[in-house]
Amino acid sequence: MYWTGVLGSFAVEIGAALKICTEIGGKTPPMYKEPFYLGVRIALALAAAGPLAAFLSNGSGLTAFYLGASAPLVLDQLAKGIRPSE
């Protein structure tokens, strides 16, 4: 389940890279030339998306893939904390 979650995280990043690449005429997006960005993105997949999928997937490969793909959103919401209703 761990590696399925990592794969889901990378799949989302590949889709995002393709979208940006298409928008700028097929060139490499500038952020993908930055070692820091690539390192953080790989670390996110290995240290957050994989474990999240392994702990919460309930043994389903598809669920593990979805959890890995959604890991950045989950972490973003955790970082924001609970907001009072408006």
Side-chain angles (χ1 to χ4, degrees):
M1 294 303 124
Y2 174 87
W3 291 109
T4 305
V6 171
L7 179 63
S9 182
F10 284 145
V12 169
E13 191 64 33
I14 291 168
L18 180 63
K19 182 178 184 291
I20 296 168
C21 180
T22 303
E23 290 171 355
I24 60 173
K27 297 179 182 160
T28 303
M31 66 184 171
Y32 292 102
K33 295 178 183 178
E34 298 294 327
F36 180 77
Y37 177 80
L38 293 174
V40 168
R41 192 59 186 95
I42 290 169
L44 174 73
L46 296 174
L52 184 69
F55 295 141
L56 299 177
S57 68
N58 201 15
S60 167
L62 188 57
T63 303
F65 185 85
Y66 283 139
L67 284 167
S70 65
L73 297 173
V74 171
L75 292 174
D76 184 50
Q77 289 302 312
L78 286 173
K80 288 179 183 175
I82 299 173
R83 290 187 237 164
S85 60
E86 296 179 21

